[in-house]
Amino acid sequence: MPVTSPSIPLWRQLQSTAHVLLDVRNGRSLTQVLDDVDRTLRPGVQALAFHVMRVQGRAQALRRELARRAPPPAVDALLCTALALAADSEEAPYEAFTLVDQAVEAAKRDLSLRPSASFINACLRRFLRERERLMAATDADPVARWNHPAWWIKRLKADHPLHWEAILAANNAKAPMALRVNVARISPAHYLQMLEVAGLAAVRQGETAILLERALPVQDIPGFTDGLVSVQDAGAQLAAPLLLQGLASQRPLEVLDACAAPGGKTAHLLEQGGVRVTALDIDAQRCERIEANLQRLGLSAKVLAADAGEPASWWDGAFFDAILLDAPCTASGIVRRHPDVRWLRRESDVDQLATVQARLLNTLWPLLRPGGRLLYCTCSVFRAEGSQQIKAFVANNTHAVHLPSPGHLMPHFRAGGRTVPDNYTGDHDGFFYALLEKRPA
């Protein structure tokens, strides 16, 4: 099904999508690049760019088969954009010949690309003629088959030898739009009735999650502007209740959300009731997003632009009853929502981020009162950022007790029946959760 507006020529969308791909190849995130796209083009370009990112391994392998010598970067970006969109005939958003025609037109309409228009035309028409042979030839390349970097595939095989294929398949699927119902304002059952009245199909998952059959702009989601729901993956919705379970108190619990932006988990903690939350983020602009999200929901927290790893600059010495450490990570568990992540990350990032995570754990642990709990979580499937991190921490902290908690949750989707055994039921991203309790000295 076409994803562009009928009033905007496809060649313009392809030009812009190729520029997006080139910027991502140069190290910018897809989110940043799409923010720079003209608003009239953005919806179609975003849809095309997500598709292109999910098939980039295959597209690059096909380009190498069609042209052994790499063309200039801008030419290569346009060619790989077209190849990614045409590679799978069942998933292609347009007919193959339309894509070829419009990709060539995109080259002709750009002065810098015009000399390469015939080259792009020849490569794409050859692909159409030899599609079956070329697809079979590139199947031998794991990067083409799985559309992930070789180092990523190797690490997944080592970390999850029984399930690495299911994880990669889930990463390449489209994520649903998941909502978190604000149970302080409305029950999930009543909210589902609201959706039904609005003619929107949805299913409930877990305690507070609602999965929409069709994604919508947030302003079109019933009750969003009134604070009845927030957009949050079902797996991410486990954090707040997991941290607060069993921490009943006569007074409001003092809770630290150490890496809080954009504020989804902060808000969920407050929606649980009986807490006062201090929310930190090192980026002042991201703190503004926390404030905006809380304001929409009618909630309040102490929001500080501060480095969680430098408590001397913000901590008043009063111990916390609970700490949520949603630590910086590779984001290897949310690839289906951020398909550029796999191409932006380097293998060395895993160890570098694991060092940051260990420093934050060791720095924040002394801020927790005896008997209090710390929930360590990452949106990563790599064990260096999850189970290995916690194993090392508990081994070096005799007062830390590892309580029952989910551990590694692998990205999981409903389509096609692919599942990871013993995983959290339903459709969700990949996460790691470890709940730690501080034993009194």
Side-chain angles (χ1 to χ4, degrees):
M1 177 179 292
V3 292
T4 59
S5 167
S7 64
I8 300 174
L10 178 55
W11 64 262
R12 286 193 63 198
Q13 300 277 3
L14 293 175
Q15 276 186 344
S16 188
T17 304
H19 290 152
V20 167
L21 173 59
L22 189 58
D23 279 349
V24 171
R25 286 179 171 180
N26 288 330
R28 295 186 68 201
S29 76
L30 186 57
T31 301
Q32 291 175 320
V33 178
L34 287 172
D35 281 345
D36 295 338
V37 175
D38 184 276
R39 288 187 178 275
T40 60
L41 293 171
R42 193 178 301 164
V45 170
Q46 177 170 311
L48 292 174
F50 268 61
H51 189 122
V52 167
M53 290 299 161
R54 290 190 178 107
V55 196
Q56 197 50 210
R58 176 75 72 175
Q60 292 183 52
L62 288 170
R63 198 277 298 156
R64 288 193 296 270
E65 290 288 325
L66 294 164
R68 297 293 182 177
R69 180 179 298 178
V75 177
D76 189 64
L78 179 56
L79 179 54
C80 284
T81 293
L83 287 169
L85 294 171
D88 186 337
S89 57
E90 293 184 2
E91 295 290 332
Y94 293 92
E95 292 293 333
F97 285 103
T98 300
L99 283 168
V100 172
D101 175 75
Q102 291 295 289
V104 174
E105 187 68 17
K108 290 179 178 178
R109 297 273 187 153
D110 186 317
L111 287 176
S112 65
L113 297 177
R114 188 176 296 167
S116 300
S118 59
F119 165 76
I120 291 172
N121 183 54
C123 287
L124 292 176
R125 291 193 181 279
R126 182 185 162 200
F127 169 71
L128 296 188
R129 291 194 306 271
E130 304 178 25
R131 180 200 297 268
E132 189 173 335
R133 182 190 69 79
L134 290 168
M135 293 294 285
T138 55
D139 272 341
D141 179 359
V143 175
R145 182 181 178 189
W146 294 109
N147 287 293
H148 284 71
W151 71 264
W152 192 301
I153 298 170
K154 181 181 178 181
R155 183 177 283 268
L156 273 184
K157 284 183 176 180
D159 282 357
H160 307 286
L162 298 180
H163 309 308
W164 65 273
E165 291 176 304
I167 296 168
L168 292 171
N171 284 352
N172 289 326
K174 296 178 182 178
M177 188 170 220
L179 306 178
R180 183 189 75 246
V181 178
N182 182 356
V183 293
R185 303 276 301 278
I186 190 171
S187 71
H190 286 155
Y191 185 71
L192 279 172
Q193 290 176 1
M194 282 184 62
L195 293 177
E196 185 177 358
V197 170
L200 299 173
V203 294
R204 181 175 176 180
Q205 179 174 308
E207 293 297 319
T208 57
I210 302 288
L211 304 185
L212 296 181
E213 185 177 280
R214 178 173 59 89
L216 296 171
V218 290
Q219 64 269 19
D220 294 339
I221 298 172
F224 181 85
T225 56
D226 297 323
L228 300 185
V229 292
S230 298
V231 177
Q232 187 180 43
D233 180 77
Q237 294 184 37
L238 297 177
L242 183 60
L243 175 62
L244 298 179
Q245 66 181 8
L247 279 178
S249 173
Q250 297 293 325
R251 56 178 176 77
L253 295 169
E254 296 293 340
V255 180
L256 172 66
D257 189 350
C259 304
K265 295 183 179 70
T266 301
H268 199 191
L269 286 165
L270 291 164
E271 289 169 5
Q272 304 294 297
V275 299
R276 285 198 294 256
V277 178
T278 300
L280 303 182
D281 197 88
I282 197 169
D283 187 325
Q285 286 188 327
R286 286 167 60 83
C287 284
E288 292 177 4
R289 290 185 63 191
I290 300 173
E291 296 276 20
N293 280 327
L294 294 180
Q295 184 176 8
R296 178 181 62 83
L297 294 164
L299 301 170
S300 63
K302 182 180 180 181
V303 180
L304 302 175
D307 184 351
E310 300 290 342
S313 67
W314 56 266
W315 186 45
D316 63 5
F319 292 108
F320 292 100
D321 299 298
I323 296 175
L324 173 59
L325 174 53
D326 187 0
C329 69
T330 57
S332 58
I334 57 174
V335 175
R336 60 185 192 157
R337 297 187 190 278
H338 299 277
D340 56 320
V341 163
R342 71 192 99 179
W343 309 117
L344 291 171
R345 289 297 184 200
R346 299 293 177 266
E347 187 170 14
S348 58
D349 292 341
V350 180
D351 289 339
Q352 290 173 3
L353 285 161
T355 299
V356 173
Q357 294 152 10
R359 179 175 68 87
L360 287 170
L361 269 169
N362 288 316
T363 300
L364 295 175
W365 186 249
L367 279 56
L368 186 67
R369 70 165 175 80
R373 293 179 177 179
L374 182 150
L375 180 65
Y376 171 83
C377 61
T378 63
C379 53
S380 175
V381 296
F382 296 143
R383 293 198 181 278
E385 302 181 279
S387 56
Q388 293 173 6
Q389 187 74 257
I390 292 302
K391 182 178 180 180
F393 180 79
V394 172
N396 291 301
N397 289 272
T398 56
H399 298 303
V401 179
H402 190 179
L403 299 178
S405 35
H408 283 283
L409 295 178
M410 303 308 159
H412 174 65
F413 65 104
R414 292 169 291 170
R418 298 185 183 94
T419 62
V420 175
D422 302 323
N423 202 3
Y424 176 63
T425 302
D427 195 323
H428 56 78
D429 292 338
F431 290 90
F432 175 81
Y433 286 109
L435 185 62
L436 305 173
E437 185 172 85
K438 180 178 278 189
R439 180 185 296 139

